[in-house]
Amino acid sequence: SFAWLESHQPPIPKKRVLCHGDLNPTNLLVENNRVTGVLDWSGLSFGHPAREIGVVRAGLRTIPLLGPMGSWMGGRIADSLTRHYTARRPLDEAAARHFEAWILLDLACNYRDTLNGIREDRGPWDNPRGQRHCARYFEAITGVPLPVG
């Protein structure tokens, strides 16, 4: 898993962009179907232009809240997000895939920390079903199995 990330590390971009770090529906204020604000900037950093889109897509495609229907809806939203993003600016798809894999591996490490009593806050991926979603998607985008549990 780590070897795949290392061998697929995107080049350092000439221009870094502002990355929220935890952009998801719970951190968005919406009015009349328009985003009017973004909350929780605690993960703020400057990074690769594909990082935020990769992290958001991975979260949408693997969120285990609604079972298979949730993953299907999340996938549709991720596809729509990608279309809207690429209509406005180019996307390095290989870099976005790298950041998707990176966050999935991070979620797997967080889960192990939770199981070992190192981490107390639990998210939607901190359970066997959430980890299976992550492992399936990680293998789908990398070709590398991600051990679960």
Side-chain angles (χ1 to χ4, degrees), residues 76-93:
R76 299 275 311 244
I77 295 167
D79 291 344
S80 177
L81 172 70
T82 301
R83 279 193 306 278
H84 282 69
Y85 184 94
T86 56
R88 290 166 180 76
R89 64 193 54 82
L91 175 65
D92 179 342
E93 189 59 46

mmCIF file with all atom_site columns, all heavy atoms in Angstrom, residues 76-93:
data_model
loop_
_atom_site.group_PDB
_atom_site.id
_atom_site.type_symbol
_atom_site.label_atom_id
_atom_site.label_alt_id
_atom_site.label_comp_id
_atom_site.label_asym_id
_atom_site.label_entity_id
_atom_site.label_seq_id
_atom_site.pdbx_PDB_ins_code
_atom_site.Cartn_x
_atom_site.Cartn_y
_atom_site.Cartn_z
_atom_site.occupancy
_atom_site.B_iso_or_equiv
_atom_site.pdbx_formal_charge
_atom_site.auth_seq_id
_atom_site.auth_comp_id
_atom_site.auth_asym_id
_atom_site.auth_atom_id
_atom_site.pdbx_PDB_model_num
ATOM 1   N N   . ARG A 1 76 ? -22.064 8.865  -7.701  1.00 0.00 ? 76 ARG A N   1
ATOM 2   C CA  . ARG A 1 76 ? -22.706 9.793  -8.659  1.00 0.00 ? 76 ARG A CA  1
ATOM 3   C C   . ARG A 1 76 ? -22.331 11.240 -8.351  1.00 0.00 ? 76 ARG A C   1
ATOM 4   O O   . ARG A 1 76 ? -22.039 12.028 -9.246  1.00 0.00 ? 76 ARG A O   1
ATOM 5   C CB  . ARG A 1 76 ? -24.237 9.639  -8.617  1.00 0.00 ? 76 ARG A CB  1
ATOM 6   C CG  . ARG A 1 76 ? -24.788 8.284  -8.973  1.00 0.00 ? 76 ARG A CG  1
ATOM 7   C CD  . ARG A 1 76 ? -24.961 8.081  -10.446 1.00 0.00 ? 76 ARG A CD  1
ATOM 8   N NE  . ARG A 1 76 ? -25.658 9.161  -11.081 1.00 0.00 ? 76 ARG A NE  1
ATOM 9   C CZ  . ARG A 1 76 ? -26.835 9.090  -11.679 1.00 0.00 ? 76 ARG A CZ  1
ATOM 10  N NH1 . ARG A 1 76 ? -27.448 7.947  -11.754 1.00 0.00 ? 76 ARG A NH1 1
ATOM 11  N NH2 . ARG A 1 76 ? -27.364 10.141 -12.241 1.00 0.00 ? 76 ARG A NH2 1
ATOM 12  N N   . ILE A 1 77 ? -22.323 11.590 -7.064  1.00 0.00 ? 77 ILE A N   1
ATOM 13  C CA  . ILE A 1 77 ? -21.947 12.944 -6.670  1.00 0.00 ? 77 ILE A CA  1
ATOM 14  C C   . ILE A 1 77 ? -20.477 13.195 -7.001  1.00 0.00 ? 77 ILE A C   1
ATOM 15  O O   . ILE A 1 77 ? -20.116 14.268 -7.498  1.00 0.00 ? 77 ILE A O   1
ATOM 16  C CB  . ILE A 1 77 ? -22.233 13.176 -5.166  1.00 0.00 ? 77 ILE A CB  1
ATOM 17  C CG1 . ILE A 1 77 ? -23.740 13.113 -4.907  1.00 0.00 ? 77 ILE A CG1 1
ATOM 18  C CG2 . ILE A 1 77 ? -21.668 14.513 -4.700  1.00 0.00 ? 77 ILE A CG2 1
ATOM 19  C CD1 . ILE A 1 77 ? -24.117 13.015 -3.442  1.00 0.00 ? 77 ILE A CD1 1
ATOM 20  N N   . ALA A 1 78 ? -19.617 12.206 -6.743  1.00 0.00 ? 78 ALA A N   1
ATOM 21  C CA  . ALA A 1 78 ? -18.184 12.350 -7.061  1.00 0.00 ? 78 ALA A CA  1
ATOM 22  C C   . ALA A 1 78 ? -17.978 12.544 -8.555  1.00 0.00 ? 78 ALA A C   1
ATOM 23  O O   . ALA A 1 78 ? -17.160 13.372 -8.970  1.00 0.00 ? 78 ALA A O   1
ATOM 24  C CB  . ALA A 1 78 ? -17.414 11.129 -6.566  1.00 0.00 ? 78 ALA A CB  1
ATOM 25  N N   . ASP A 1 79 ? -18.721 11.802 -9.375  1.00 0.00 ? 79 ASP A N   1
ATOM 26  C CA  . ASP A 1 79 ? -18.617 11.965 -10.833 1.00 0.00 ? 79 ASP A CA  1
ATOM 27  C C   . ASP A 1 79 ? -19.061 13.367 -11.258 1.00 0.00 ? 79 ASP A C   1
ATOM 28  O O   . ASP A 1 79 ? -18.421 14.006 -12.096 1.00 0.00 ? 79 ASP A O   1
ATOM 29  C CB  . ASP A 1 79 ? -19.464 10.919 -11.556 1.00 0.00 ? 79 ASP A CB  1
ATOM 30  C CG  . ASP A 1 79 ? -18.918 9.507  -11.409 1.00 0.00 ? 79 ASP A CG  1
ATOM 31  O OD1 . ASP A 1 79 ? -17.742 9.348  -11.014 1.00 0.00 ? 79 ASP A OD1 1
ATOM 32  O OD2 . ASP A 1 79 ? -19.684 8.559  -11.673 1.00 0.00 ? 79 ASP A OD2 1
ATOM 33  N N   . SER A 1 80 ? -20.150 13.843 -10.667 1.00 0.00 ? 80 SER A N   1
ATOM 34  C CA  . SER A 1 80 ? -20.654 15.181 -10.984 1.00 0.00 ? 80 SER A CA  1
ATOM 35  C C   . SER A 1 80 ? -19.650 16.244 -10.549 1.00 0.00 ? 80 SER A C   1
ATOM 36  O O   . SER A 1 80 ? -19.372 17.197 -11.290 1.00 0.00 ? 80 SER A O   1
ATOM 37  C CB  . SER A 1 80 ? -21.996 15.401 -10.284 1.00 0.00 ? 80 SER A CB  1
ATOM 38  O OG  . SER A 1 80 ? -22.466 16.702 -10.514 1.00 0.00 ? 80 SER A OG  1
ATOM 39  N N   . LEU A 1 81 ? -19.083 16.077 -9.363  1.00 0.00 ? 81 LEU A N   1
ATOM 40  C CA  . LEU A 1 81 ? -18.070 17.005 -8.871  1.00 0.00 ? 81 LEU A CA  1
ATOM 41  C C   . LEU A 1 81 ? -16.878 17.071 -9.830  1.00 0.00 ? 81 LEU A C   1
ATOM 42  O O   . LEU A 1 81 ? -16.406 18.151 -10.172 1.00 0.00 ? 81 LEU A O   1
ATOM 43  C CB  . LEU A 1 81 ? -17.600 16.565 -7.483  1.00 0.00 ? 81 LEU A CB  1
ATOM 44  C CG  . LEU A 1 81 ? -16.407 17.297 -6.895  1.00 0.00 ? 81 LEU A CG  1
ATOM 45  C CD1 . LEU A 1 81 ? -16.784 18.725 -6.529  1.00 0.00 ? 81 LEU A CD1 1
ATOM 46  C CD2 . LEU A 1 81 ? -15.881 16.561 -5.679  1.00 0.00 ? 81 LEU A CD2 1
ATOM 47  N N   . THR A 1 82 ? -16.429 15.916 -10.297 1.00 0.00 ? 82 THR A N   1
ATOM 48  C CA  . THR A 1 82 ? -15.296 15.864 -11.224 1.00 0.00 ? 82 THR A CA  1
ATOM 49  C C   . THR A 1 82 ? -15.641 16.572 -12.531 1.00 0.00 ? 82 THR A C   1
ATOM 50  O O   . THR A 1 82 ? -14.833 17.338 -13.064 1.00 0.00 ? 82 THR A O   1
ATOM 51  C CB  . THR A 1 82 ? -14.870 14.411 -11.483 1.00 0.00 ? 82 THR A CB  1
ATOM 52  O OG1 . THR A 1 82 ? -14.515 13.812 -10.226 1.00 0.00 ? 82 THR A OG1 1
ATOM 53  C CG2 . THR A 1 82 ? -13.691 14.330 -12.428 1.00 0.00 ? 82 THR A CG2 1
ATOM 54  N N   . ARG A 1 83 ? -16.848 16.345 -13.059 1.00 0.00 ? 83 ARG A N   1
ATOM 55  C CA  . ARG A 1 83 ? -17.266 17.016 -14.304 1.00 0.00 ? 83 ARG A CA  1
ATOM 56  C C   . ARG A 1 83 ? -17.286 18.531 -14.127 1.00 0.00 ? 83 ARG A C   1
ATOM 57  O O   . ARG A 1 83 ? -16.804 19.275 -14.980 1.00 0.00 ? 83 ARG A O   1
ATOM 58  C CB  . ARG A 1 83 ? -18.641 16.524 -14.749 1.00 0.00 ? 83 ARG A CB  1
ATOM 59  C CG  . ARG A 1 83 ? -18.622 15.207 -15.491 1.00 0.00 ? 83 ARG A CG  1
ATOM 60  C CD  . ARG A 1 83 ? -19.952 14.919 -16.183 1.00 0.00 ? 83 ARG A CD  1
ATOM 61  N NE  . ARG A 1 83 ? -21.097 14.988 -15.293 1.00 0.00 ? 83 ARG A NE  1
ATOM 62  C CZ  . ARG A 1 83 ? -21.487 13.999 -14.480 1.00 0.00 ? 83 ARG A CZ  1
ATOM 63  N NH1 . ARG A 1 83 ? -20.817 12.861 -14.446 1.00 0.00 ? 83 ARG A NH1 1
ATOM 64  N NH2 . ARG A 1 83 ? -22.545 14.135 -13.713 1.00 0.00 ? 83 ARG A NH2 1
ATOM 65  N N   . HIS A 1 84 ? -17.854 19.002 -13.009 1.00 0.00 ? 84 HIS A N   1
ATOM 66  C CA  . HIS A 1 84 ? -17.914 20.446 -12.766 1.00 0.00 ? 84 HIS A CA  1
ATOM 67  C C   . HIS A 1 84 ? -16.514 21.029 -12.583 1.00 0.00 ? 84 HIS A C   1
ATOM 68  O O   . HIS A 1 84 ? -16.226 22.113 -13.080 1.00 0.00 ? 84 HIS A O   1
ATOM 69  C CB  . HIS A 1 84 ? -18.782 20.748 -11.541 1.00 0.00 ? 84 HIS A CB  1
ATOM 70  C CG  . HIS A 1 84 ? -20.236 20.684 -11.816 1.00 0.00 ? 84 HIS A CG  1
ATOM 71  N ND1 . HIS A 1 84 ? -20.897 19.514 -12.102 1.00 0.00 ? 84 HIS A ND1 1
ATOM 72  C CD2 . HIS A 1 84 ? -21.167 21.656 -11.861 1.00 0.00 ? 84 HIS A CD2 1
ATOM 73  C CE1 . HIS A 1 84 ? -22.166 19.755 -12.306 1.00 0.00 ? 84 HIS A CE1 1
ATOM 74  N NE2 . HIS A 1 84 ? -22.364 21.049 -12.177 1.00 0.00 ? 84 HIS A NE2 1
ATOM 75  N N   . TYR A 1 85 ? -15.667 20.319 -11.884 1.00 0.00 ? 85 TYR A N   1
ATOM 76  C CA  . TYR A 1 85 ? -14.298 20.789 -11.654 1.00 0.00 ? 85 TYR A CA  1
ATOM 77  C C   . TYR A 1 85 ? -13.552 20.898 -12.983 1.00 0.00 ? 85 TYR A C   1
ATOM 78  O O   . TYR A 1 85 ? -12.944 21.928 -13.276 1.00 0.00 ? 85 TYR A O   1
ATOM 79  C CB  . TYR A 1 85 ? -13.569 19.833 -10.706 1.00 0.00 ? 85 TYR A CB  1
ATOM 80  C CG  . TYR A 1 85 ? -12.186 20.275 -10.324 1.00 0.00 ? 85 TYR A CG  1
ATOM 81  C CD1 . TYR A 1 85 ? -11.964 21.002 -9.164  1.00 0.00 ? 85 TYR A CD1 1
ATOM 82  C CD2 . TYR A 1 85 ? -11.080 19.976 -11.122 1.00 0.00 ? 85 TYR A CD2 1
ATOM 83  C CE1 . TYR A 1 85 ? -10.696 21.425 -8.807  1.00 0.00 ? 85 TYR A CE1 1
ATOM 84  C CE2 . TYR A 1 85 ? -9.808  20.394 -10.776 1.00 0.00 ? 85 TYR A CE2 1
ATOM 85  C CZ  . TYR A 1 85 ? -9.623  21.115 -9.619  1.00 0.00 ? 85 TYR A CZ  1
ATOM 86  O OH  . TYR A 1 85 ? -8.367  21.531 -9.279  1.00 0.00 ? 85 TYR A OH  1
ATOM 87  N N   . THR A 1 86 ? -13.594 19.838 -13.789 1.00 0.00 ? 86 THR A N   1
ATOM 88  C CA  . THR A 1 86 ? -12.829 19.825 -15.041 1.00 0.00 ? 86 THR A CA  1
ATOM 89  C C   . THR A 1 86 ? -13.425 20.752 -16.104 1.00 0.00 ? 86 THR A C   1
ATOM 90  O O   . THR A 1 86 ? -12.734 21.094 -17.057 1.00 0.00 ? 86 THR A O   1
ATOM 91  C CB  . THR A 1 86 ? -12.691 18.395 -15.603 1.00 0.00 ? 86 THR A CB  1
ATOM 92  O OG1 . THR A 1 86 ? -13.986 17.819 -15.787 1.00 0.00 ? 86 THR A OG1 1
ATOM 93  C CG2 . THR A 1 86 ? -11.865 17.520 -14.670 1.00 0.00 ? 86 THR A CG2 1
ATOM 94  N N   . ALA A 1 87 ? -14.664 21.179 -15.945 1.00 0.00 ? 87 ALA A N   1
ATOM 95  C CA  . ALA A 1 87 ? -15.233 22.167 -16.865 1.00 0.00 ? 87 ALA A CA  1
ATOM 96  C C   . ALA A 1 87 ? -14.598 23.541 -16.632 1.00 0.00 ? 87 ALA A C   1
ATOM 97  O O   . ALA A 1 87 ? -14.624 24.390 -17.520 1.00 0.00 ? 87 ALA A O   1
ATOM 98  C CB  . ALA A 1 87 ? -16.749 22.249 -16.682 1.00 0.00 ? 87 ALA A CB  1
ATOM 99  N N   . ARG A 1 88 ? -14.011 23.735 -15.466 1.00 0.00 ? 88 ARG A N   1
ATOM 100 C CA  . ARG A 1 88 ? -13.438 25.034 -15.111 1.00 0.00 ? 88 ARG A CA  1
ATOM 101 C C   . ARG A 1 88 ? -11.915 25.063 -15.104 1.00 0.00 ? 88 ARG A C   1
ATOM 102 O O   . ARG A 1 88 ? -11.306 26.101 -15.254 1.00 0.00 ? 88 ARG A O   1
ATOM 103 C CB  . ARG A 1 88 ? -13.954 25.463 -13.743 1.00 0.00 ? 88 ARG A CB  1
ATOM 104 C CG  . ARG A 1 88 ? -15.428 25.836 -13.787 1.00 0.00 ? 88 ARG A CG  1
ATOM 105 C CD  . ARG A 1 88 ? -16.026 25.940 -12.402 1.00 0.00 ? 88 ARG A CD  1
ATOM 106 N NE  . ARG A 1 88 ? -17.425 26.304 -12.437 1.00 0.00 ? 88 ARG A NE  1
ATOM 107 C CZ  . ARG A 1 88 ? -18.409 25.486 -12.751 1.00 0.00 ? 88 ARG A CZ  1
ATOM 108 N NH1 . ARG A 1 88 ? -18.150 24.247 -13.093 1.00 0.00 ? 88 ARG A NH1 1
ATOM 109 N NH2 . ARG A 1 88 ? -19.654 25.887 -12.761 1.00 0.00 ? 88 ARG A NH2 1
ATOM 110 N N   . ARG A 1 89 ? -11.299 23.892 -14.857 1.00 0.00 ? 89 ARG A N   1
ATOM 111 C CA  . ARG A 1 89 ? -9.829  23.839 -14.780 1.00 0.00 ? 89 ARG A CA  1
ATOM 112 C C   . ARG A 1 89 ? -9.371  22.417 -15.045 1.00 0.00 ? 89 ARG A C   1
ATOM 113 O O   . ARG A 1 89 ? -10.124 21.469 -14.838 1.00 0.00 ? 89 ARG A O   1
ATOM 114 C CB  . ARG A 1 89 ? -9.343  24.336 -13.423 1.00 0.00 ? 89 ARG A CB  1
ATOM 115 C CG  . ARG A 1 89 ? -9.776  23.506 -12.255 1.00 0.00 ? 89 ARG A CG  1
ATOM 116 C CD  . ARG A 1 89 ? -9.548  24.159 -10.906 1.00 0.00 ? 89 ARG A CD  1
ATOM 117 N NE  . ARG A 1 89 ? -10.119 25.475 -10.742 1.00 0.00 ? 89 ARG A NE  1
ATOM 118 C CZ  . ARG A 1 89 ? -11.387 25.746 -10.427 1.00 0.00 ? 89 ARG A CZ  1
ATOM 119 N NH1 . ARG A 1 89 ? -12.230 24.773 -10.238 1.00 0.00 ? 89 ARG A NH1 1
ATOM 120 N NH2 . ARG A 1 89 ? -11.816 26.966 -10.298 1.00 0.00 ? 89 ARG A NH2 1
ATOM 121 N N   . PRO A 1 90 ? -8.143  22.258 -15.481 1.00 0.00 ? 90 PRO A N   1
ATOM 122 C CA  . PRO A 1 90 ? -7.637  20.907 -15.749 1.00 0.00 ? 90 PRO A CA  1
ATOM 123 C C   . PRO A 1 90 ? -7.425  20.139 -14.442 1.00 0.00 ? 90 PRO A C   1
ATOM 124 O O   . PRO A 1 90 ? -7.153  20.729 -13.397 1.00 0.00 ? 90 PRO A O   1
ATOM 125 C CB  . PRO A 1 90 ? -6.307  21.141 -16.465 1.00 0.00 ? 90 PRO A CB  1
ATOM 126 C CG  . PRO A 1 90 ? -5.916  22.531 -16.132 1.00 0.00 ? 90 PRO A CG  1
ATOM 127 C CD  . PRO A 1 90 ? -7.172  23.290 -15.826 1.00 0.00 ? 90 PRO A CD  1
ATOM 128 N N   . LEU A 1 91 ? -7.576  18.826 -14.517 1.00 0.00 ? 91 LEU A N   1
ATOM 129 C CA  . LEU A 1 91 ? -7.354  17.962 -13.366 1.00 0.00 ? 91 LEU A CA  1
ATOM 130 C C   . LEU A 1 91 ? -6.338  16.896 -13.741 1.00 0.00 ? 91 LEU A C   1
ATOM 131 O O   . LEU A 1 91 ? -6.505  16.195 -14.737 1.00 0.00 ? 91 LEU A O   1
ATOM 132 C CB  . LEU A 1 91 ? -8.668  17.292 -12.930 1.00 0.00 ? 91 LEU A CB  1
ATOM 133 C CG  . LEU A 1 91 ? -8.550  16.261 -11.808 1.00 0.00 ? 91 LEU A CG  1
ATOM 134 C CD1 . LEU A 1 91 ? -8.099  16.917 -10.505 1.00 0.00 ? 91 LEU A CD1 1
ATOM 135 C CD2 . LEU A 1 91 ? -9.882  15.547 -11.608 1.00 0.00 ? 91 LEU A CD2 1
ATOM 136 N N   . ASP A 1 92 ? -5.303  16.775 -12.943 1.00 0.00 ? 92 ASP A N   1
ATOM 137 C CA  . ASP A 1 92 ? -4.330  15.704 -13.108 1.00 0.00 ? 92 ASP A CA  1
ATOM 138 C C   . ASP A 1 92 ? -4.956  14.461 -12.470 1.00 0.00 ? 92 ASP A C   1
ATOM 139 O O   . ASP A 1 92 ? -4.921  14.285 -11.251 1.00 0.00 ? 92 ASP A O   1
ATOM 140 C CB  . ASP A 1 92 ? -3.021  16.095 -12.420 1.00 0.00 ? 92 ASP A CB  1
ATOM 141 C CG  . ASP A 1 92 ? -1.945  15.032 -12.510 1.00 0.00 ? 92 ASP A CG  1
ATOM 142 O OD1 . ASP A 1 92 ? -2.259  13.856 -12.799 1.00 0.00 ? 92 ASP A OD1 1
ATOM 143 O OD2 . ASP A 1 92 ? -0.773  15.380 -12.266 1.00 0.00 ? 92 ASP A OD2 1
ATOM 144 N N   . GLU A 1 93 ? -5.559  13.624 -13.310 1.00 0.00 ? 93 GLU A N   1
ATOM 145 C CA  . GLU A 1 93 ? -6.319  12.468 -12.819 1.00 0.00 ? 93 GLU A CA  1
ATOM 146 C C   . GLU A 1 93 ? -5.432  11.490 -12.049 1.00 0.00 ? 93 GLU A C   1
ATOM 147 O O   . GLU A 1 93 ? -5.858  10.914 -11.038 1.00 0.00 ? 93 GLU A O   1
ATOM 148 C CB  . GLU A 1 93 ? -7.022  11.769 -13.982 1.00 0.00 ? 93 GLU A CB  1
ATOM 149 C CG  . GLU A 1 93 ? -7.991  10.698 -13.559 1.00 0.00 ? 93 GLU A CG  1
ATOM 150 C CD  . GLU A 1 93 ? -9.106  11.189 -12.658 1.00 0.00 ? 93 GLU A CD  1
ATOM 151 O OE1 . GLU A 1 93 ? -9.724  12.229 -12.940 1.00 0.00 ? 93 GLU A OE1 1
ATOM 152 O OE2 . GLU A 1 93 ? -9.375  10.516 -11.633 1.00 0.00 ? 93 GLU A OE2 1
#
